[in-house]
Amino acid sequence: MRKLLLITCLLGSLALLSCRRAGGAGEVRSVYYWSTVLDIDSQKAAFIGRHGVSRVYLRYFDVVPDEAGRPVPNATLRFKTGVPRGVEVVPTVYVVNSCMAADTSGLAERIVRRVAQMCETNGIGPVSELQIDCDWTRRTRERYFAFLRTVGRLAADRGMRVSATIRLHQLAEAPPPVDRGVLMMYNTGDFTSPDCEKPILDMRDAAPYVGNLGRYGLPLSAAYPIYSWRILFRGGRYVGIMHRDDDLPVLPGDTIVTRAPTVGDIAEAVKAVGRRRPDANREVILFDLGNQNITRFNPDDYEKIYNGFGL
């Protein structure tokens, strides 16, 4: 009990620091939290306070096809702690693209209702935005956009606007029918190839898509990667990503490589976005708030990212 009280007080004081350190008009510092357990420990709370983070995009659950192909919730977030006072929560739901090929009748209603119930049960609120994350394609675009229109109508009834993630390849398509988008400036290369040294972020791969930013007809924020991957290869073939040492069996002769963006890679991406859509960098989002990610660089580097490297 004493430990819980101490952490609660720390979260509160750091939230106040966050409010005091927030940027000027139009500047928002945000993070994604992409895990199955919400645990804002002292390290995460210190990062939030030190860097003036005022918004957390919190993954609530995934929507995946079951054995019959029907969309069902999966990997629902468990709330071990709350978030610091004064930090806005944007519930985020990841929808597997193949779900759009199934019967989606009633899916929007179930998602919005489930998000509202999780907010109420865990004392999250008021919530003014719901985000949907889906790697849709031309083949699923029509059904996905129809699904988003229904989500938007239902969310509006609960006082929420709707945002959607925008992957680089989607910039060449018509924007989805949402209030705004978050440009995902990561996962630019083929992580299954041992020859791809920068699968998370390489502006040589991203540049052709970024050229569409200037004419993209949707208000945007931008998300940048601070994470790394440990990838297992066997005989030159991709086996999987190792989140923990015991995730996959490692055999003699196997190779584990670490792929991670450098501060220079992120700087190049931030500046490329800033040249074409300066408004997108008014909110900078880091992916994501994991302890390994928020200690990869020194504090000054995170400040540079949030400040747009002086743009």
Side-chain angles (χ1 to χ4, degrees):
M1 179 64 71
R2 182 178 299 175
K3 181 178 179 181
L4 179 60
L5 180 61
L6 178 62
I7 292 177
T8 301
C9 292
L10 176 62
L11 293 177
S13 62
L14 288 172
L16 293 176
L17 177 61
S18 171
C19 292
R20 288 196 297 267
R21 292 191 54 162
E27 295 179 1
V28 180
R29 296 177 170 201
S30 306
V31 293
Y32 274 101
Y33 190 99
W34 212 264
S35 181
T36 55
V37 179
L38 176 60
D39 183 10
I40 305 296
D41 57 20
S42 58
Q43 194 169 45
K44 297 184 186 74
F47 183 91
I48 289 171
R50 180 168 196 165
H51 297 290
V53 172
S54 61
R55 182 177 294 160
V56 175
Y57 293 82
L58 186 59
R59 190 204 66 87
Y60 269 37
F61 55 90
D62 301 339
V63 177
V64 304
D66 65 9
E67 293 181 356
R70 297 167 299 195
V72 295
N74 184 57
T76 299
L77 180 70
R78 180 169 63 87
F79 288 74
K80 184 177 179 181
T81 69
V83 297
R85 290 193 302 272
V87 175
E88 178 187 2
V89 171
V90 177
T92 302
V93 177
Y94 172 65
V95 180
V96 173
N97 184 42
S98 60
C99 289
M100 291 297 110
D103 180 7
T104 58
S105 58
L107 178 60
E109 290 86 349
R110 293 194 298 273
I111 288 176
V112 173
R113 183 171 59 248
R114 184 180 178 86
V115 166
Q117 289 173 343
M118 289 178 65
C119 289
E120 182 178 358
T121 300
N122 295 283
I124 302 296
V127 171
S128 60
E129 181 177 328
L130 167 63
Q131 183 167 113
I132 303 296
D133 176 24
C134 181
D135 189 8
W136 57 274
T137 62
R138 288 185 179 181
R139 186 174 182 178
T140 58
R141 177 178 57 194
E142 184 175 343
R143 298 191 71 177
Y144 177 60
F145 282 18
F147 159 76
L148 285 178
R149 292 186 188 97
T150 305
V151 171
R153 185 178 69 252
L154 296 169
D157 291 341
R158 296 179 181 268
M160 295 185 291
R161 62 179 179 174
V162 175
S163 61
T165 55
I166 307 298
R167 287 163 172 78
L168 285 166
H169 71 86
Q170 295 166 350
L171 288 174
E173 305 291 339
V178 293
D179 296 293
R180 68 186 194 95
V182 170
L183 176 64
M184 299 169 62
M185 284 298 297
Y186 44 88
N187 295 357
T188 60
D190 181 8
F191 61 89
T192 66
S193 170
D195 297 325
C196 183
E197 296 183 355
K198 292 185 177 184
I200 295 176
L201 178 58
D202 190 336
M203 284 307 300
R204 291 176 299 181
D205 296 325
Y209 302 103
V210 173
N212 294 311
L213 264 178
R215 55 183 176 270
Y216 193 70
L218 194 67
L220 290 174
S221 299
Y224 300 97
I226 56 172
Y227 62 93
S228 63
W229 281 332
R230 295 173 65 234
I231 307 175
L232 177 64
F233 291 98
R234 181 171 300 143
R237 295 180 178 273
Y238 169 78
V239 177
I241 295 176
M242 301 188 66
H243 301 286
R244 295 177 299 272
D245 288 341
D246 59 352
D247 271 353
L248 299 165
V250 180
L251 307 180
D254 285 356
T255 302
I256 300 174
V257 299
T258 299
R259 305 301 193 205
T262 65
V263 172
D265 293 328
I266 300 170
E268 190 177 359
V270 170
K271 292 177 180 179
V273 170
R275 284 192 294 269
R276 293 163 178 82
R277 281 291 295 267
D279 58 303
N281 280 334
R282 289 175 186 164
E283 180 187 15
V284 170
I285 313 167
L286 301 187
F287 190 97
D288 78 318
L289 189 69
N291 285 349
Q292 288 186 330
N293 301 333
I294 60 178
T295 56
R296 286 193 62 235
F297 307 127
N298 64 57
D300 287 343
D301 289 328
Y302 295 107
E303 282 295 300
K304 291 175 183 176
I305 297 170
Y306 276 129
N307 287 327
F309 292 92
L311 287 176

